[in-house]
Amino acid sequence: MKTLGHNSLMILIIILVVFSSSSFSPRCEALFQWSTGVEVHVMNALLSSSPILVRCQSKNDDLGYHTLAVYDEFRWNFKSHVFSRTLFFCHFYLDAEQKESVFDTYTEDLALDHCGNYPDKNHYRCYWLAREDGFYLGPDLNHTSAFVKLNEWQKRV
């Protein structure tokens, strides 16, 4: 019985050492973190002077309505725990042009694919820019060339 316990402990130690290696992908590393700090920023980057009304929420948290003038931002932060399926989505309204859009603004996949790690690998920052032609996600406002268009405005009917 003691041998089985000792062998199980050795296997666990080997697994932990292997998966803590920096040679693994961020997706693999993320699976073995107990919690990750997350910051999501939503910014009005329209060239016009039109304000945007934004309402963001998750299954458990309604972050309310926020009016963003040009270059204003709304941001929130939270801890995403291991095995949680944290999802935040936002509804955007551009009344001046009768447009709107609703989509996921945070999922683990979005963070791993498009967000930056700052100040360390256990913290994600996600920046959404609302522009005339749609919504762009990226890791850092200093590198807007790395932003990717992921969603578009829809005409309200």
Side-chain angles (χ1 to χ4, degrees), residues 82-102:
V82 68
F83 303 121
S84 74
R85 301 234 182 244
T86 304
L87 180 145
F88 275 91
F89 64 95
C90 295
H91 200 137
F92 297 84
Y93 304 90
L94 182 57
D95 285 339
E97 298 182 33
Q98 294 297 305
K99 293 181 180 178
E100 65 184 337
S101 191
V102 62

Side-chain angles (χ1 to χ4, degrees), residues 9-148:
L9 181 60
M10 289 303 291
I11 290 170
L12 179 61
I13 289 171
I14 290 169
I15 290 171
L16 289 174
V17 167
V18 167
F19 282 112
S20 66
S21 166
S22 61
S23 64
F24 283 87
S25 72
R27 284 189 192 283
C28 189
E29 285 183 26
L31 291 175
F32 294 95
Q33 294 174 4
W34 293 111
S35 69
T36 302
V38 179
E39 237 177 77
V40 180
H41 299 250
V42 174
M43 177 182 258
N44 180 346
L46 295 173
L47 297 175
S48 67
S49 59
S50 299
I52 297 173
L53 182 63
V54 181
R55 181 184 185 192
C56 298
Q57 56 195 106
S58 71
K59 178 181 174 184
N60 300 319
D61 297 300
D62 186 340
L63 305 178
Y65 288 90
H66 302 271
T67 301
L68 304 180
V70 176
Y71 300 116
D72 277 353
E73 75 169 19
F74 169 58
R75 71 178 181 170
W76 68 97
N77 56 53
F78 56 94
K79 289 277 190 194
S80 180
H81 296 282
V82 68
F83 303 121
S84 74
R85 301 234 182 244
T86 304
L87 180 145
F88 275 91
F89 64 95
C90 295
H91 200 137
F92 297 84
Y93 304 90
L94 182 57
D95 285 339
E97 298 182 33
Q98 294 297 305
K99 293 181 180 178
E100 65 184 337
S101 191
V102 62
F103 54 87
D104 295 346
T105 49
Y106 176 83
T107 65
E108 185 178 318
D109 285 341
L110 285 172
L112 291 171
D113 292 340
H114 302 289
C115 299
N117 294 107
Y118 181 84
D120 57 47
K121 69 178 184 175
N122 294 323
H123 190 100
Y124 287 103
R125 281 192 181 166
C126 306
Y127 289 89
W128 282 97
L129 300 180
R131 296 180 175 160
E132 278 77 11
D133 66 334
F135 298 85
Y136 293 76
L137 178 60
D140 182 345
L141 288 177
N142 294 320
H143 300 94
T144 55
S145 61
F147 279 60
V148 176

